[in-house]
């Protein structure tokens, strides 16, 4: 962590937590959204807004390259289907 309370990659604690949640697997429908509300204290809409912004953030790519690259592949596949 740096002096500003940010992880070394430059992400805020909230941004790093969003990436960590996205890297997890979830047992069933609704479990992830419930965990987002209870564990992160934010509505799922805010979570997904932040996650979408992080997918294009070079700091996020440095912090969690596997997760960010997987999300980018999924996004590109969805765009290609449209």
């Amino acid at each position: 962590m740096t002096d500003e309370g940010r992880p070394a990659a430059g992400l805020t604690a909230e941004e790093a937590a969003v990436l960590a949640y996205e890297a997890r697997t979830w047992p069933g429908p609704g479990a992830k959204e419930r965990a987002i509300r209870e564990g992160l204290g934010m509505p799922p809409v805010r979570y997904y807004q932040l996650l979408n912004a992080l997918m294009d953030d070079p700091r996020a790519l440095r912090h969690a390259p596997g997760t960010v690259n997987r999300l980018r592949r999924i996004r590109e596949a969805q765009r290609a289907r449209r």
Side-chain angles (χ1 to χ4, degrees):
M1 291 255 188
T2 64
D3 293 337
E4 299 88 33
R6 292 174 175 250
L11 297 175
T12 65
E14 182 179 64
E15 291 167 335
V18 166
L19 290 173
Y21 268 58
E22 200 57 34
R24 293 180 53 187
T25 57
W26 300 95
K32 181 178 179 181
E33 285 72 17
R34 189 169 36 260
I36 290 167
R37 278 190 217 89
E38 294 171 3
L40 296 177
M42 69 175 70
V45 169
R46 170 71 182 128
Y47 171 90
Y48 289 111
Q49 289 170 337
L50 183 53
L51 180 61
N52 281 323
L54 285 170
M55 287 193 313
D56 297 318
D57 190 326
R59 297 172 306 134
L61 184 60
R62 285 191 302 272
H63 180 79
T67 300
V68 172
N69 283 325
R70 178 180 55 82
L71 292 169
R72 287 178 176 179
R73 283 191 305 272
I74 292 168
R75 179 175 64 184
E76 289 307 312
Q78 289 172 340
R79 285 181 179 167
R81 281 193 293 260
R82 291 184 200 161

